[in-house]
Amino acid sequence: MKYIIWFFFIASITSLICGYTLDVPYSRKLIGYGVLGLFFIVTPLFSWYRLKDKNLKDYMLNKENLDKMRERENKKKS
């Protein structure tokens, strides 16, 4: 999965660079495809790859987690 993400990332960056540097009639399309690749393919794949084994409830701000944070802060101050 890591290599697929790298492939799409490099392809998107290459498309952006070619779109900005080459003077061809379809340079704006290259820039657009590069941006679309980054935001609709690379970013979701990267997020899914990094967060697939994590428990997201640990990162949510709910009453229980806020109480735990306050307890830790009180222990640090004491």
Side-chain angles (χ1 to χ4, degrees):
M1 178 60 82
K2 176 171 59 171
Y3 298 113
I4 294 171
I5 295 170
W6 271 107
F7 172 76
F8 281 119
F9 177 73
I10 291 173
S12 296
I13 295 297
T14 304
S15 177
L16 284 169
I17 291 171
C18 289
Y20 279 115
T21 57
L22 297 178
D23 190 24
V24 292
Y26 53 87
S27 63
R28 289 189 179 186
K29 287 185 181 181
L30 287 173
I31 295 169
Y33 290 140
V35 170
L36 286 174
L38 281 174
F39 289 106
F40 289 116
I41 296 173
V42 175
T43 303
L45 280 176
F46 177 76
S47 298
W48 177 77
Y49 176 71
R50 294 294 292 175
L51 296 174
K52 67 181 175 183
D53 294 329
K54 305 264 192 223
N55 186 6
L56 294 181
K57 289 187 178 184
D58 293 340
Y59 300 101
M60 289 183 172
L61 285 178
N62 54 21
K63 180 146 177 61
E64 296 168 4
N65 287 342
L66 287 172
D67 291 339
K68 287 180 189 176
M69 289 170 49
R70 288 183 185 127
E71 286 176 14
R72 276 188 243 145
E73 287 297 319
N74 289 336
K75 286 181 182 178
K76 285 183 183 179
K77 289 180 182 178
S78 305

